[in-house]
Amino acid sequence: MKVDKTINSFLLYLAVFSMLITGYYVNRIALSNNVAGEYVTQISLTGSRLSDKVYATVSKNSERKIADVYSTEYACVLYNISDSAMKNWKMLLTVPEGTIVESTQNAESIFYTDNSTLIISPEDYNVEIGSYEAIDFFVSLSTREEFNPGQIKFVGYQDYTKKHDYLGGVIIAAIFIWSIAFVGFLVTKYNLRSYYDKQQNSARIILQSMNTFISFIDAKDPYTRGHSKRVAMYAAEMGKRMGLSEDEVQNIYYAGLLHDAGKISIPDAVLNKPGKLTDEERRCIQDHTISGGNMLKQLSSIRGIRETALYHHERFDGNGYPEGLKGEAIPLYARIVGVADSYDAMSSNRVYRRHLNKDEIIEEIQKGSGTQFDPDIVKYMVDMINDGYVNVVKMETSDSDEDSKDFHLSESDIPGVYMGY
Ligand SMILES: [Fe+2]
């Protein structure tokens, strides 16, 4: 799915990039043809005439008559008075039929006649007349009758390339920005992926470590196998429904997994004793909270783990253990895990009793609301029972319990419900 998204984004960028490149070249080609810049003007030659783009003069330089032929030299000046260069220009002059071009004094220009039209144009059509620059040349014509040019037609193309190529600039800027955005997108994508990989790897290590630890707890107390994971899931679900952040929900999940870590310190003879416990044995069992808290001191990087192990048997009315904390003095995670822990105890079979049914559990939990449990948390647990969430979880985990002798978190749990990503 992620790969598909990346390919889609890549193709989108590629399409836009191609459109911009195409647009840019179409624009360049259009401008180089200068179609929009064609400029045609008629310039009268009764003296020097000025158009709004070109100033041109054709003046008689000298004239001599040999027999019936008039040989006249004309001096031509073209002055470009526009803001951009003039390209591909030519001058057309109407002359008497039979006019002969005798000589030119500008090697850059060629002169030829087409019937009665004398066409004067640069040899290679590429002689530019720059903005506010002039070009001048001479032409000698031989005519049978005296000839005074009356009109000249000038055709030229203004070069808009530099002056008006806004579109080109905009497209170049857009391509530049899109390129940076695309590279940024790829870099971010790469960084995010490697960040998620690292995060997932860290999460995997944490869960595998916890998994190993849970196997010690389960080995110690086989009757409650799967208890830690179920409590973790119920507690995390409550945290989620309470609107806690993903990080908090994740931490509650970890805290739920390890809340009974201290059970390892209870002697087997006490832990698995089927009959009634003596006061000393009961104290010994209760001490799993203190030893759990001590064991998990080292795990300070995950917030709330130690406190949850230490305080998950405190009661909201202050009659719990080990410290008799009351109300909100009991850390939130411990209050949540305390409810989840009791629900799982009531909904699981024990050596000394069968599990309670749904109504009995709800009744028990509500009876404990405000005394054993935080009433604000109880309502979430009751909702979870009523809407069937916990039954689903229970079935999933119960099956696993029966099918496998070693009930552990699996690799597939890693990106699971409470991994937050
Ligand atoms: Fe416990």
Side-chain angles (χ1 to χ4, degrees):
M1 189 63 112
K2 273 184 182 174
V3 175
D4 285 352
K5 271 189 184 172
T6 310
I7 291 173
N8 283 344
S9 307
F10 177 74
L11 290 176
L12 177 67
Y13 273 106
L14 200 65
V16 173
F17 195 73
S18 310
M19 280 162 58
L20 289 171
I21 289 276
T22 310
Y24 174 73
Y25 279 106
V26 166
N27 178 52
R28 294 296 302 179
I29 291 164
L31 286 169
S32 67
N33 284 338
N34 293 315
V35 173
E38 183 173 354
Y39 177 67
V40 181
T41 186
Q42 297 283 340
I43 303 167
S44 167
L45 289 179
T46 49
S48 299
R49 283 287 178 170
L50 193 68
S51 85
D52 60 341
K53 303 286 181 192
V54 180
Y55 178 90
T57 64
V58 178
S59 54
K60 200 179 277 185
N61 217 22
S62 64
E63 183 180 44
R64 60 198 166 95
K65 188 180 179 200
I66 303 168
D68 290 341
V69 177
Y70 293 87
S71 285
T72 316
E73 186 184 76
Y74 296 93
C76 306
V77 179
L78 282 172
Y79 186 42
N80 174 13
I81 53 171
S82 70
D83 287 337
S84 46
M86 202 67 77
K87 277 179 169 178
N88 296 355
W89 58 269
K90 60 184 176 181
M91 282 172 58
L92 298 94
L93 201 63
T94 305
V95 293
E97 228 170 289
T99 296
I100 298 166
V101 183
E102 282 188 337
S103 64
T104 68
Q105 286 187 320
N106 190 328
E108 283 181 323
S109 302
I110 57 167
F111 303 87
Y112 58 96
T113 53
D114 174 14
N115 294 325
S116 61
T117 305
L118 174 67
I119 300 169
I120 305 166
S121 64
E123 189 172 13
D124 58 4
Y125 277 77
N126 276 324
V127 176
E128 259 187 35
I129 312 173
S131 172
Y132 297 100
E133 284 179 6
I135 190 164
D136 64 293
F137 49 88
F138 302 94
V139 58
S140 293
L141 302 178
S142 292
T143 54
R144 289 190 182 279
E145 52 201 76
E146 196 169 10
F147 164 63
N148 288 305
Q151 256 193 353
I152 187 169
K153 186 179 180 187
F154 175 85
V155 179
Y157 296 89
Q158 270 189 281
D159 181 10
Y160 282 93
T161 319
K162 289 176 187 120
K163 187 170 165 52
H164 298 290
D165 191 7
Y166 300 125
L167 183 59
V170 168
I171 290 175
I172 286 175
I175 287 174
F176 183 69
I177 291 165
W178 274 81
S179 302
I180 289 180
F182 184 59
V183 170
F185 164 78
L186 288 181
V187 170
T188 310
K189 196 92 188 163
Y190 173 78
N191 284 343
L192 271 180
R193 184 165 298 166
S194 82
Y195 168 75
Y196 284 135
D197 285 350
K198 278 182 192 161
Q199 199 181 28
Q200 206 155 2
N201 202 35
S202 306
R204 187 176 289 121
I205 292 167
I206 292 171
L207 270 181
Q208 284 173 346
S209 309
M210 290 189 179
N211 203 14
T212 309
F213 199 73
I214 290 166
S215 68
F216 298 154
I217 305 170
D218 284 350
K220 185 85 185 169
D221 187 4
Y223 293 108
T224 59
R225 182 169 291 156
H227 170 71
S228 303
K229 184 181 178 182
R230 289 194 299 271
V231 168
M233 293 182 88
Y234 304 153
E237 179 63 19
M238 269 188 273
K240 204 172 171 186
R241 291 178 184 222
M242 289 164 74
L244 300 182
S245 71
E246 285 190 354
D247 281 350
E248 295 242 76
V249 171
Q250 184 68 75
N251 286 344
I252 291 173
Y253 184 74
Y254 291 143
L257 283 179
L258 295 184
H259 75 283
D260 267 346
K263 271 191 182 172
I264 286 179
S265 64
I266 305 172
D268 290 349
V270 177
L271 190 65
N272 299 319
K273 185 180 174 183
K276 208 176 173 211
L277 298 175
T278 65
D279 285 350
E280 195 181 337
E281 286 166 342
R282 183 167 289 108
R283 257 198 310 281
C284 177
I285 285 186
Q286 291 182 349
D287 279 351
H288 81 280
T289 51
I290 296 170
S291 45
N294 287 335
M295 280 178 207
L296 298 173
K297 256 183 201 161
Q298 306 272 356
L299 213 53
S300 56
S301 56
I302 304 177
R303 204 170 77 81
I305 287 225
R306 184 190 74 84
E307 290 82 356
T308 305
L310 182 58
Y311 297 122
H312 71 278
H313 285 292
E314 295 289 3
R315 289 171 54 105
F316 201 67
D317 59 10
N319 292 323
Y321 61 89
E323 293 180 16
L325 296 184
K326 194 175 178 182
E328 294 192 355
I330 306 165
L332 177 66
Y333 292 7
R335 274 180 276 149
I336 295 172
V337 168
V339 176
D341 190 19
S342 297
Y343 169 79
D344 191 63
M346 288 185 253
S347 62
S348 304
N349 293 324
R350 290 287 187 266
V351 217
Y352 45 89
R353 61 147 176 80
R354 237 192 128 260
H355 69 79
L356 307 181
N357 67 33
K358 179 181 162 185
D359 292 337
E360 288 167 335
I361 292 174
I362 292 176
E363 195 185 324
E364 281 298 313
I365 290 179
Q366 279 175 337
K367 208 189 287 175
S369 179
T371 51
Q372 185 175 353
F373 309 122
D374 180 342
D376 287 339
I377 294 171
V378 161
K379 60 187 178 196
Y380 292 102
M381 189 70 234
V382 171
D383 281 351
M384 281 161 58
I385 299 168
N386 279 330
D387 66 24
Y389 175 84
V390 283
N391 273 334
V392 174
V393 174
K394 178 84 174 85
M395 277 169 66
E396 286 171 355
T397 51
S398 296
D399 290 344
S400 307
D401 287 351
E402 282 161 21
D403 292 343
S404 162
K405 285 189 174 176
D406 291 304
F407 177 76
H408 296 314
L409 296 175
S410 67
E411 287 286 311
S412 62
D413 293 317
I414 289 167
V417 191
Y418 303 112
M419 292 311 292
Y421 48 83

